[in-house]
Amino acid sequence: ETGVTQSPTHLIKTRGQQVTLRCSSQSGHNTVSWYQQALGQGPQFIFQYYREEENGRGNFPPRFSGLQFPNYSSELNVNALELDDSALYLCASSAGLAGYPGELFFGEGSRLTVL
Amino acid sequence: DAKTTQPPSMDCAEGRAANLPCNHSTISGNEYVYWYRQIHSQGPQYIIHGLKNNETNEMASLIITEDRKSSTLILPHATLRDTAVYYCIVRAPGAQKLVFGQGTRLTINP
C-alpha cells in the first residue's frame, strides 16, 4: 500500500465524451504526477503538479488537463475522448519538487476504456 | 525516449537469485539509476535507486559498474510474487518525470 488512492478504478466511455479521474496523494506529499500506460507499454508522463501549479508536461495534447487542490489531491480531465485514450492512468505522489532524490509512490490506476 | 536498454524477458527458478541487467551507456554524471517493478494490473512499485555506489535494501541489491554504464538489480531469493515487469530508469536530480522503457518481464518458475 502506497497511500495513493485513485478513483474510479474502471470506467467505460464513448468517443467524444469527457472524463475526470481523481487522485489522493500520500499524506505529506505536495507533488502529483500523472502517467498514461497503454496496453503492453511502459507508463508515459502526462504532467506534474506542484503546489497547485502545473510544473511540467509531456507530449500530450491540451485536451488533457489537470488540477491540484489545496489538500494536494488532483484531477486529470480528458476532453473529446478518442479510442487511443484507452489506457491505465496512473497517479504518483512525491514529497517536494520531483521527489528528488527519493521515489514516486504510485496508485493502482484508473483503467479507461473508450468505445 | 528511455536512456536504458533491458532484455525483454527473463526466467528464474523460485529460491534462486534473479539478476536483471540494464545498460545506460549515455548516463550523465548526476543521473541516478532507479528500479521500479509493476505487478500485473497494479501501479509501479519503487524498489531501489543509486548513483555510483552499490546499494542494498530489504527488497533488492543494486550493483552499478564503475563506469556507470550498466547496472544489475539482484533479487537474492526470488519468490513467485516477484513475477513482474521490472523497469530500469535513469533520472537527473529535480527531473520532473520518470521515463519508462519497455522493461524486463521477469517470470519466477516453481
Side-chain angles (χ1 to χ4, degrees):
Chain A
E1 296 293 329
T2 63
V4 179
T5 58
Q6 294 186 243
S7 63
T9 55
H10 296 81
L11 71 166
I12 299 173
K13 293 285 189 177
T14 56
R15 278 184 302 174
Q17 284 189 311
Q18 178 266 344
V19 68
T20 297
L21 307 177
R22 295 177 176 84
C23 172
S24 294
S25 59
Q26 186 177 106
S27 177
H29 286 183
N30 56 14
T31 303
V32 172
S33 304
W34 287 91
Y35 289 77
Q36 179 196 65
Q37 186 173 25
L39 199 61
Q41 304 294 317
Q44 300 294 308
F45 175 74
I46 303 175
F47 43 54
Q48 181 185 82
Y49 278 82
Y50 171 65
R51 292 185 176 179
E52 304 177 57
E53 298 284 335
E54 186 178 293
N55 182 58
R57 188 178 185 91
N59 189 26
F60 282 82
R63 60 189 184 84
F64 286 78
S65 63
L67 284 172
Q68 187 179 32
F69 300 100
N71 67 354
Y72 304 131
S73 65
S74 178
E75 286 182 355
L76 165 66
N77 299 290
V78 187
N79 295 320
L81 284 167
E82 302 176 0
L83 296 179
D84 286 348
D85 295 333
S86 295
L88 180 68
Y89 288 86
L90 295 160
C91 169
S93 76
S94 56
L97 191 60
Y100 170 79
E103 65 272 21
L104 301 183
F105 294 87
F106 284 84
E108 297 301 305
S110 294
R111 184 163 297 282
L112 171 65
T113 301
V114 182
L115 302 177
Chain B
D1 291 337
K3 295 180 66 173
T4 61
T5 304
Q6 300 176 252
S9 63
M10 294 182 63
D11 286 273
C12 180
E14 187 178 18
R16 305 297 291 268
N19 296 277
L20 291 90
C22 179
N23 287 322
H24 32 78
S25 59
T26 61
I27 192 170
S28 300
N30 66 341
E31 287 181 317
Y32 285 72
V33 178
Y34 282 76
W35 282 84
Y36 282 76
R37 73 180 182 184
Q38 187 171 25
I39 296 169
H40 182 61
S41 295
Q42 298 183 17
Q45 176 190 24
Y46 166 81
I47 302 173
I48 199 167
H49 74 282
L51 183 62
K52 54 184 176 181
N53 297 321
N54 298 337
E55 302 288 344
T56 296
N57 63 19
E58 65 279 4
M59 290 182 68
S61 295
L62 173 61
I63 308 298
I64 303 174
T65 58
E66 191 169 346
D67 63 7
R68 302 209 326 121
K69 293 185 177 181
S70 66
S71 60
T72 301
L73 179 75
I74 301 172
L75 308 178
H77 304 287
T79 71
L80 298 178
R81 288 177 295 180
D82 292 322
T83 292
V85 177
Y86 287 75
Y87 295 99
C88 170
I89 299 165
V90 297
R91 182 187 184 197
Q96 296 158 343
K97 61 183 179 181
L98 298 176
V99 180
F100 290 82
Q102 297 287 82
T104 295
R105 182 172 298 278
L106 175 67
T107 302
I108 306 300
N109 300 306

